[in-house]
Amino acid sequence: IAFWGAVTCCEGCLLFLWIDLITTYAIGTPEMSYELTKVPNLVGGLFFMTGIYLSWFELINMDSEKLNANKLHYFWVSIESVTDLGIEKASYVGALTYLLGAVLYTISQVSDFWELTPGVHNVLIDWPLIVGGLMFFLGGVCELKINKVFESAPTRLVWWVAVLNCYGGLTFWLSACPALFPGKLETRFAVTGTIMYLLASVLSLLMWRVEQFGGALIPALNRVAQVAVKPAPNANGKLVLEVKDLNRRPLLEMKDDDSSRVEDALHPRLSWKGLIFLIVYVCIGAFTVIACCTFLNHGKDYKDDPETFRQELNMLMTGLVNIIIVHMVLVLNSAIVTMPKKGDAPYRSLAIVMRVLSVIVFANTVLGLRVQFEEAEYHHSMKQFP
């Protein structure tokens, strides 16, 4: 859950940054602006809301007995059932305010697809952005309190995640308030918040890498993950590996040459190279979504220009397949954290080839976007100067 929460938030932030890039540098043609801004805005919001919901889902299902009995909560649980497990009220309040903010943002993003009267625009777009941004800021304040940011030094990953999330929420809130940031200053201020959220999501992946599965909202899970597994000789001089969990299970005995392998199996750690390629996979997913959005501008070519329509439809289907594949690769990486060992052929070779192909697909996705924009600009100029 922690893995997918961080991944989907990363994808959402990348799509938000793309919209800011479009509005600032006027990328593409005017005919493409609708498809290149409103659609990625909604998709990015859905990704972002998914990541926030996963944090809420993780919190309301902290009772392991209910998890094992498949009695999952999906939307709501009383605050008492959470605090009875030793979790702070601030964790519950913070996760709930984040979720409410994400829902309000989604309402605004969906409403933005239509031309609305000023009064309806204020109700369905402006106020949901303002109140939603405030909810994000309050969620960040809860993270500051939970992780005792003002009482500790900035030496922990969770400290930085809480600070970055709080700043991101503040910028989302203030940038939505009218007259505070006139002109392009509003966009630039919001961009800094999106970048902070993106950095916080990457740091959350780092926390997941070291088994800090609670993120900035559930520090109890982070403390549980800090229990180390260390091999040590017992009274008979035989090497044992002490496995400490909540139930204090017995020791597991093994031979000396098995200690490293068992420790890796019990506590797999993502390498730095693995983390970099995770970010590459996330970028491929986000950029491919943008490439698919360019097809929507060619829907009217079904009758006017069938050949162009077929070409764009083929690119759309290819992009959708790439999105599915890259998320399947992310599923695989969430289950198999470490690179297979040298003796684990052919799995190690497959993992290496998959990483090489990811770089090629990433470069091809960026190149494909560039080609799409160049063709659109060419057709736009031909219409203006036939």
Side-chain angles (χ1 to χ4, degrees):
I1 293 177
F3 172 82
W4 283 108
V7 165
T8 52
C9 284
C10 278
E11 290 180 302
C13 290
L14 287 173
L15 291 173
F16 290 155
L17 288 175
W18 166 257
I19 299 166
D20 296 326
L21 193 66
I22 285 287
T23 55
T24 302
Y25 297 100
I27 298 175
T29 62
E31 294 84 1
M32 302 173 66
S33 61
Y34 185 93
E35 290 80 6
L36 291 180
T37 55
K38 298 183 185 297
V39 178
N41 188 37
L42 176 60
V43 176
L46 293 175
F47 273 126
F48 202 72
M49 184 172 66
T50 300
I52 290 174
Y53 171 75
L54 289 175
S55 297
W56 171 252
F57 179 82
E58 184 178 35
L59 178 68
I60 64 178
N61 289 283
M62 284 292 293
D63 190 339
S64 60
E65 293 181 358
K66 292 183 179 180
L67 282 172
N68 293 332
N70 291 324
K71 297 178 180 179
L72 299 177
H73 303 289
Y74 292 97
F75 301 106
W76 183 259
V77 71
S78 65
I79 190 171
E80 290 79 11
S81 62
V82 173
T83 54
D84 289 345
L85 298 173
I87 300 173
E88 298 182 41
K89 290 183 179 180
S91 296
Y92 184 92
V93 174
L96 182 59
T97 54
Y98 270 130
L99 185 61
L100 292 175
V103 171
L104 289 172
Y105 254 68
T106 303
I107 292 173
S108 173
Q109 290 159 345
V110 172
S111 303
D112 196 35
F113 276 87
W114 291 275
E115 293 290 338
L116 305 174
T117 62
V120 178
H121 190 280
N122 289 335
V123 173
L124 293 181
I125 296 180
D126 294 336
W127 279 108
L129 289 177
I130 295 173
V131 179
L134 176 60
M135 294 294 102
F136 287 146
F137 173 63
L138 293 178
V141 171
C142 290
E143 290 185 354
L144 296 181
K145 179 183 181 301
I146 296 166
N147 297 286
K148 298 179 174 58
V149 167
F150 299 108
E151 303 174 15
S152 59
T155 57
R156 298 170 297 151
L157 285 175
V158 71
W159 192 97
W160 288 102
V161 172
V163 170
L164 293 174
N165 282 339
C166 186
Y167 178 82
L170 179 64
T171 59
F172 274 34
W173 175 33
L174 296 182
S175 62
C177 296
L180 282 181
F181 300 94
K184 292 185 178 181
L185 188 60
E186 173 188 346
T187 301
R188 293 172 182 173
F189 187 61
V191 166
T192 63
T194 305
I195 293 175
M196 294 303 105
Y197 271 130
L198 179 61
L199 292 176
S201 300
V202 173
L203 291 180
S204 297
L205 282 175
L206 286 174
M207 293 180 65
W208 175 80
R209 173 183 178 269
V210 294
E211 300 179 349
Q212 303 288 293
F213 302 126
L217 281 173
I218 316 175
L221 284 181
N222 299 337
R223 289 192 293 268
V224 170
Q226 289 173 352
V227 178
V229 179
K230 298 180 180 180
N234 62 5
N236 300 324
K238 191 174 184 180
L239 188 66
V240 299
L241 184 63
E242 188 174 350
V243 182
K244 291 185 178 179
D245 61 5
L246 297 177
N247 298 321
R248 298 286 183 178
R249 293 177 182 172
L251 300 182
L252 177 66
E253 295 190 354
M254 71 204 68
K255 299 178 181 179
D256 292 355
D257 54 358
D258 292 333
S259 60
S260 177
R261 181 176 294 273
V262 174
E263 186 172 357
D264 289 341
L266 292 172
H267 290 272
R269 298 293 180 91
L270 181 69
S271 66
W272 288 101
K273 290 182 181 179
L275 178 65
I276 292 173
F277 279 99
L278 272 182
I279 297 174
V280 171
Y281 302 147
V282 170
C283 291
I284 292 173
F287 292 167
T288 308
V289 169
I290 298 169
C292 291
C293 290
T294 60
F295 165 79
L296 302 177
N297 185 52
H298 296 274
K300 57 183 178 297
D301 293 334
Y302 176 72
K303 293 183 178 179
D304 300 335
D305 191 354
E307 182 179 354
T308 300
F309 178 82
R310 288 193 296 269
Q311 291 176 354
E312 296 296 330
L313 180 61
N314 177 66
M315 295 186 66
L316 172 66
M317 296 178 66
T318 302
L320 292 176
V321 171
N322 287 340
I323 291 174
I324 295 173
I325 291 175
V326 77
H327 284 86
M328 291 174 64
V329 171
L330 287 170
V331 171
L332 181 63
N333 276 265
S334 67
I336 304 175
V337 179
T338 58
M339 172 72 75
K341 304 297 182 182
K342 291 184 178 181
D344 296 335
Y347 305 110
R348 180 178 175 83
S349 300
L350 289 174
I352 293 174
V353 171
M354 183 176 64
R355 290 184 174 183
V356 173
L357 288 177
S358 68
V359 176
I360 298 174
V361 172
F362 177 76
N364 182 67
T365 303
V366 176
L367 180 61
L369 275 176
R370 179 63 180 174
V371 171
Q372 287 279 79
F373 294 141
E374 289 177 350
E375 288 184 354
E377 291 172 359
Y378 172 77
H379 290 296
H380 178 72
S381 63
M382 291 296 293
K383 290 179 181 178
Q384 287 184 322
F385 307 101

